[in-house]
Amino acid sequence: MPWYVLQTRTGEEERLTELIRKIVPENLYGECFVVYQEQLRRRKQKNFIHVRRVFPGYLFITYREQEELILCLKQ
């Protein structure tokens, strides 16, 4: 399935993802997501998982109908 990249403000990716899921009809796209990376870190003899965005300020959306999706996103 082809994909499309949307640029937004850093830190606003999840909010835009939720907005797209609410507004855009499900038949126009497959997935809308932000890419995260998990890193295992150790501090003061304790392990913890650090999660960070791989592409800050960007989210990805797979689409079925490109032209209709773009028109819907522009509105």
Side-chain angles (χ1 to χ4, degrees), residues 1-2 7 18 27 30 35-36 43-44 60 62 64 72:
M1 193 174 280
Q7 184 178 14
E18 291 301 319
N27 64 330
V35 180
Y36 290 98
R43 183 180 296 163
K44 297 182 181 179
F60 297 82
T62 60
R64 294 185 180 98
C72 189

Side-chain angles (χ1 to χ4, degrees), residues 43-67:
R43 183 180 296 163
K44 297 182 181 179
Q45 300 180 355
K46 292 184 181 179
N47 293 330
F48 66 97
I49 296 175
H50 175 72
V51 180
R52 69 175 191 93
R53 290 179 205 92
V54 177
F55 304 107
Y58 294 92
L59 61 102
F60 297 82
I61 184 167
T62 60
Y63 60 86
R64 294 185 180 98
E65 301 292 331
Q66 180 183 13
E67 294 168 6

Side-chain angles (χ1 to χ4, degrees), residues 19-35:
L19 186 63
I20 287 172
R21 288 179 182 154
K22 288 180 184 175
I23 295 174
V24 178
E26 291 182 13
N27 64 330
L28 297 182
Y29 72 97
E31 295 179 82
C32 184
F33 58 93
V34 178
V35 180

